[in-house]
Amino acid sequence: NQNQMDPKKPVRRVGAKPPPDRAQKAMGCLSLKNPLRKHCIAFVEWKPFDFFILFTIMGNCVCLAVYTPFPGQDSNETNAILEKVEYVFLFIFTAECVMKIIAQGFFQHQNAYLRNAWNILDFTIVMIG
């Protein structure tokens, strides 16, 4: 029985999820052991991060709905505040994009960032923003 147990291989519980398939290197230089990549992987896979991004998307939608376009260069105080808040949203979405690219790789691996349709949409919107 002792020979069946490989000391180098961790024992996996019955019914546990297999570890995710990740690219060995992201962007050609960041290995799975790279501290920055490890932190990005942990952060983007953290469930509260998903909720934060969803609430940020909802907040951005509310701000877009409240914004009132005026003819020419006219505006009001609410619009001026909303234009500044839009930079906060842009920063959050850009940071999400960069962290996911570092964590998942850009496009070479089968589970890379740009191999997911939602991420392609996110990336396009962030680049346009």
mmCIF file of all heavy atoms in Angstrom, residues 113-126:
data_model
loop_
_atom_site.group_PDB
_atom_site.id
_atom_site.type_symbol
_atom_site.label_atom_id
_atom_site.label_comp_id
_atom_site.label_asym_id
_atom_site.label_seq_id
_atom_site.Cartn_x
_atom_site.Cartn_y
_atom_site.Cartn_z
ATOM 1 N N TYR A 113 -7.010 35.024 -22.297
ATOM 2 C CA TYR A 113 -7.980 36.122 -22.166
ATOM 3 C C TYR A 113 -8.813 36.318 -23.431
ATOM 4 O O TYR A 113 -10.035 36.388 -23.373
ATOM 5 C CB TYR A 113 -7.221 37.402 -21.802
ATOM 6 C CG TYR A 113 -8.087 38.609 -21.615
ATOM 7 C CD1 TYR A 113 -8.900 38.737 -20.499
ATOM 8 C CD2 TYR A 113 -8.101 39.643 -22.554
ATOM 9 C CE1 TYR A 113 -9.696 39.847 -20.315
ATOM 10 C CE2 TYR A 113 -8.896 40.760 -22.378
ATOM 11 C CZ TYR A 113 -9.689 40.853 -21.258
ATOM 12 O OH TYR A 113 -10.483 41.949 -21.079
ATOM 13 N N LEU A 114 -8.175 36.416 -24.572
ATOM 14 C CA LEU A 114 -8.906 36.693 -25.812
ATOM 15 C C LEU A 114 -9.506 35.447 -26.452
ATOM 16 O O LEU A 114 -9.991 35.500 -27.579
ATOM 17 C CB LEU A 114 -8.018 37.425 -26.821
ATOM 18 C CG LEU A 114 -7.741 38.888 -26.493
ATOM 19 C CD1 LEU A 114 -6.899 39.530 -27.586
ATOM 20 C CD2 LEU A 114 -9.011 39.690 -26.283
ATOM 21 N N ARG A 115 -9.519 34.324 -25.753
ATOM 22 C CA ARG A 115 -10.183 33.115 -26.254
ATOM 23 C C ARG A 115 -11.603 33.010 -25.695
ATOM 24 O O ARG A 115 -12.294 32.036 -25.939
ATOM 25 C CB ARG A 115 -9.386 31.862 -25.885
ATOM 26 C CG ARG A 115 -8.017 31.790 -26.497
ATOM 27 C CD ARG A 115 -8.114 31.498 -27.992
ATOM 28 N NE ARG A 115 -6.806 31.419 -28.604
ATOM 29 C CZ ARG A 115 -6.241 30.285 -28.991
ATOM 30 N NH1 ARG A 115 -6.860 29.147 -28.832
ATOM 31 N NH2 ARG A 115 -5.057 30.303 -29.543
ATOM 32 N N ASN A 116 -12.023 34.012 -24.931
ATOM 33 C CA ASN A 116 -13.352 34.047 -24.326
ATOM 34 C C ASN A 116 -14.119 35.215 -24.950
ATOM 35 O O ASN A 116 -13.631 36.349 -24.979
ATOM 36 C CB ASN A 116 -13.199 34.226 -22.812
ATOM 37 C CG ASN A 116 -14.518 34.337 -22.098
ATOM 38 O OD1 ASN A 116 -15.299 35.242 -22.356
ATOM 39 N ND2 ASN A 116 -14.749 33.431 -21.168
ATOM 40 N N ALA A 117 -15.323 34.951 -25.445
ATOM 41 C CA ALA A 117 -16.102 35.981 -26.150
ATOM 42 C C ALA A 117 -16.397 37.192 -25.263
ATOM 43 O O ALA A 117 -16.337 38.338 -25.729
ATOM 44 C CB ALA A 117 -17.403 35.378 -26.673
ATOM 45 N N TRP A 118 -16.709 36.975 -23.977
ATOM 46 C CA TRP A 118 -16.989 38.102 -23.080
ATOM 47 C C TRP A 118 -15.742 38.967 -22.897
ATOM 48 O O TRP A 118 -15.835 40.200 -22.834
ATOM 49 C CB TRP A 118 -17.498 37.625 -21.718
ATOM 50 C CG TRP A 118 -18.898 37.124 -21.782
ATOM 51 C CD1 TRP A 118 -19.314 35.842 -21.626
ATOM 52 C CD2 TRP A 118 -20.080 37.899 -22.037
ATOM 53 N NE1 TRP A 118 -20.680 35.763 -21.763
ATOM 54 C CE2 TRP A 118 -21.177 37.012 -22.017
ATOM 55 C CE3 TRP A 118 -20.306 39.243 -22.293
ATOM 56 C CZ2 TRP A 118 -22.486 37.443 -22.238
ATOM 57 C CZ3 TRP A 118 -21.615 39.659 -22.508
ATOM 58 C CH2 TRP A 118 -22.671 38.772 -22.478
ATOM 59 N N ASN A 119 -14.580 38.320 -22.796
ATOM 60 C CA ASN A 119 -13.340 39.082 -22.647
ATOM 61 C C ASN A 119 -13.006 39.863 -23.909
ATOM 62 O O ASN A 119 -12.449 40.958 -23.825
ATOM 63 C CB ASN A 119 -12.189 38.156 -22.261
ATOM 64 C CG ASN A 119 -12.320 37.637 -20.843
ATOM 65 O OD1 ASN A 119 -13.015 38.220 -20.024
ATOM 66 N ND2 ASN A 119 -11.661 36.536 -20.558
ATOM 67 N N ILE A 120 -13.349 39.326 -25.079
ATOM 68 C CA ILE A 120 -13.141 40.069 -26.330
ATOM 69 C C ILE A 120 -13.989 41.333 -26.306
ATOM 70 O O ILE A 120 -13.514 42.424 -26.649
ATOM 71 C CB ILE A 120 -13.471 39.199 -27.558
ATOM 72 C CG1 ILE A 120 -12.458 38.059 -27.700
ATOM 73 C CG2 ILE A 120 -13.512 40.036 -28.834
ATOM 74 C CD1 ILE A 120 -12.819 37.026 -28.750
ATOM 75 N N LEU A 121 -15.241 41.195 -25.870
ATOM 76 C CA LEU A 121 -16.130 42.358 -25.746
ATOM 77 C C LEU A 121 -15.567 43.360 -24.744
ATOM 78 O O LEU A 121 -15.484 44.566 -25.032
ATOM 79 C CB LEU A 121 -17.532 41.906 -25.329
ATOM 80 C CG LEU A 121 -18.557 43.020 -25.103
ATOM 81 C CD1 LEU A 121 -18.848 43.748 -26.408
ATOM 82 C CD2 LEU A 121 -19.822 42.450 -24.509
ATOM 83 N N ASP A 122 -15.154 42.879 -23.560
ATOM 84 C CA ASP A 122 -14.565 43.762 -22.539
ATOM 85 C C ASP A 122 -13.338 44.486 -23.088
ATOM 86 O O ASP A 122 -13.197 45.700 -22.906
ATOM 87 C CB ASP A 122 -14.148 42.964 -21.297
ATOM 88 C CG ASP A 122 -15.323 42.533 -20.451
ATOM 89 O OD1 ASP A 122 -16.430 43.066 -20.655
ATOM 90 O OD2 ASP A 122 -15.129 41.667 -19.590
ATOM 91 N N PHE A 123 -12.454 43.739 -23.725
ATOM 92 C CA PHE A 123 -11.215 44.313 -24.254
ATOM 93 C C PHE A 123 -11.521 45.394 -25.294
ATOM 94 O O PHE A 123 -10.920 46.476 -25.274
ATOM 95 C CB PHE A 123 -10.351 43.205 -24.868
ATOM 96 C CG PHE A 123 -9.019 43.666 -25.359
ATOM 97 C CD1 PHE A 123 -7.992 43.973 -24.469
ATOM 98 C CD2 PHE A 123 -8.767 43.785 -26.717
ATOM 99 C CE1 PHE A 123 -6.765 44.403 -24.924
ATOM 100 C CE2 PHE A 123 -7.536 44.212 -27.181
ATOM 101 C CZ PHE A 123 -6.536 44.514 -26.280
ATOM 102 N N THR A 124 -12.479 45.118 -26.176
ATOM 103 C CA THR A 124 -12.858 46.100 -27.205
ATOM 104 C C THR A 124 -13.406 47.372 -26.564
ATOM 105 O O THR A 124 -13.025 48.484 -26.937
ATOM 106 C CB THR A 124 -13.900 45.481 -28.148
ATOM 107 O OG1 THR A 124 -13.382 44.275 -28.702
ATOM 108 C CG2 THR A 124 -14.277 46.437 -29.269
ATOM 109 N N ILE A 125 -14.257 47.224 -25.574
ATOM 110 C CA ILE A 125 -14.847 48.387 -24.905
ATOM 111 C C ILE A 125 -13.786 49.188 -24.156
ATOM 112 O O ILE A 125 -13.766 50.421 -24.216
ATOM 113 C CB ILE A 125 -15.993 47.949 -23.950
ATOM 114 C CG1 ILE A 125 -17.168 47.437 -24.770
ATOM 115 C CG2 ILE A 125 -16.423 49.093 -23.041
ATOM 116 C CD1 ILE A 125 -18.238 46.737 -23.967
ATOM 117 N N VAL A 126 -12.869 48.501 -23.483
ATOM 118 C CA VAL A 126 -11.802 49.202 -22.756
ATOM 119 C C VAL A 126 -10.883 49.951 -23.740
ATOM 120 O O VAL A 126 -10.511 51.093 -23.496
ATOM 121 C CB VAL A 126 -10.974 48.214 -21.877
ATOM 122 C CG1 VAL A 126 -9.696 48.859 -21.377
ATOM 123 C CG2 VAL A 126 -11.819 47.747 -20.703
#
